Amino acid sequence: MAFVMKRVYEPAAASDGYRVLVDRLWPRGVKKERAELDEWAKDAAPSPELRTEWHHHRERFDEFAARYRDELDADSAAQALLETGRAHDRVTLLYAARDEQVNHVAVLLGWLADHGASVET
């Protein structure tokens, strides 16, 4: 199993494998058919409170990452993603954030790697 991340605005590709949106809110301007999702794992995204507090302030990313990891540790949705990874050769985690390095999916990939998943960056 390998997890990768990709912006939901990029076209779907056969190499994506199983496609999972890991945002709580549906991405603006993306039609559900165009997203070509296999799953929408809203609960694997940061809580609404944490997302609102952080709101992509780069200077607070370390604090955000630590708090999000705590949420993931207590969250069955994150464990379900690990199971999804075991069931598929490749899982592409889709997100809408503009910043491709400083976002919640980068933290999620790190958490998955720490729990035995293979991750490609």
Side-chain angles (χ1 to χ4, degrees):
M1 81 174 134
F3 285 93
V4 296
M5 61 190 269
K6 181 177 184 177
R7 287 194 77 219
V8 70
Y9 299 104
E10 295 175 36
S15 62
D16 289 345
Y18 192 80
R19 292 170 51 92
V20 181
L21 177 64
V22 287
D23 275 342
R24 227 167 251 285
L25 305 174
W26 188 262
R28 288 185 182 155
V30 175
K31 293 186 179 199
K32 292 193 179 188
E33 307 79 47
R34 184 178 154 248
E36 297 184 43
L37 297 183
D38 293 299
E39 183 180 341
W40 184 8
K42 296 178 198 178
D43 293 335
S47 66
E49 299 79 19
L50 182 56
R51 184 182 61 79
T52 303
E53 260 181 54
W54 175 52
H55 201 62
H56 305 285
H57 293 289
R58 279 180 156 282
E59 69 277 1
R60 295 180 55 211
F61 186 69
D62 290 341
E63 174 192 346
F64 164 78
R67 290 181 56 200
Y68 181 37
R69 281 177 161 276
D70 289 344
E71 287 185 357
L72 292 169
D73 286 339
D75 189 1
S76 62
Q79 291 295 326
L81 272 180
L82 283 171
E83 292 302 316
T84 298
R86 290 184 186 101
H88 301 277
D89 291 336
R90 185 175 184 89
V91 177
T92 298
L93 302 177
L94 302 166
Y95 64 97
R98 288 186 185 142
D99 192 323
E100 296 183 19
Q101 281 81 40
V102 180
N103 64 58
H104 73 283
V105 181
V107 177
L108 178 56
L109 277 178
W111 185 90
L112 290 166
D114 290 348
H115 289 80
S118 172
V119 224
E120 294 176 18
T121 53

